[in-house]
Amino acid sequence: MMYQDNPRAGLFRRLAAMVYDTLILAALWMLAMGLALAFVALLDKTGLISLAAYQDEAEFIQKHALWFQLYSLLVFGWFYLYFWVKGGQTLGMRAWRILLLRPDGGLISLKQATIRVLTAFFGLGNLWVWVRWGKGLALQDQLAGTIVVKLTKEQSKELNLHRSAS
């Protein structure tokens, strides 16, 4: 079934999906920071770095914040790239029944997903939906050549059942 002819997702659905994804990203970020703390501890144990000048691993991370901020951005970017390229939906998009596609109905490429991640401006690009009223395109959609469509309940169930079976 092709979805590209469905109505475009509006600003409210996009923002609601972002709220869901933010909760998931918070949990993912906690996991990523736990791994970073373990990695710093491992580097200390192997002698590759010394924590002697620091109170603990967390202070080391605070003193080298730029690297860990970049690491966090990579984790967040990976989240979106993975879900958008794999199935056209993050978990928040799935909950709010919206789907990211190419205008021809196919899944987006890694290049398109990367453009979307870099041009979404932490979700502010979605406000472009209001500027371009009636077009249903966020700024990142226009720049990446993508569309976000609203699914019916039946389409969402069918799509997600099909994914679960494969």
Side-chain angles (χ1 to χ4, degrees), residues 41-147:
L42 179 66
L43 291 177
D44 181 48
K45 295 283 186 223
T46 60
L48 293 173
I49 63 170
S50 173
L51 294 178
Y54 304 96
Q55 194 173 23
D56 57 15
E57 293 86 355
E59 185 180 1
F60 179 87
I61 287 176
Q62 286 176 336
K63 297 291 183 184
H64 298 89
L66 177 62
W67 294 108
F68 291 96
Q69 289 169 353
L70 290 173
Y71 167 64
S72 296
L73 287 175
L74 286 173
V75 169
F76 297 158
W78 170 86
F79 170 83
Y80 286 105
L81 293 175
Y82 175 80
F83 282 105
W84 287 344
V85 171
K86 183 177 184 265
Q89 291 177 303
T90 62
L91 298 172
M93 293 169 77
R94 185 181 272 199
W96 282 92
R97 298 190 332 260
I98 58 178
L99 179 66
L100 174 64
L101 300 168
R102 293 189 320 251
D104 67 4
L107 292 175
I108 70 171
S109 67
L110 181 60
K111 178 181 176 183
Q112 287 174 303
T114 303
I115 292 169
R116 282 189 107 248
V117 165
L118 295 175
T119 59
F121 303 110
F122 300 101
L124 292 177
N126 287 311
L127 297 177
W128 195 252
V129 172
W130 275 351
V131 173
R132 300 276 300 181
W133 191 257
K135 302 285 185 198
L137 295 173
L139 179 62
Q140 61 269 23
D141 293 322
Q142 287 188 296
L143 297 174
T146 60
I147 59 173

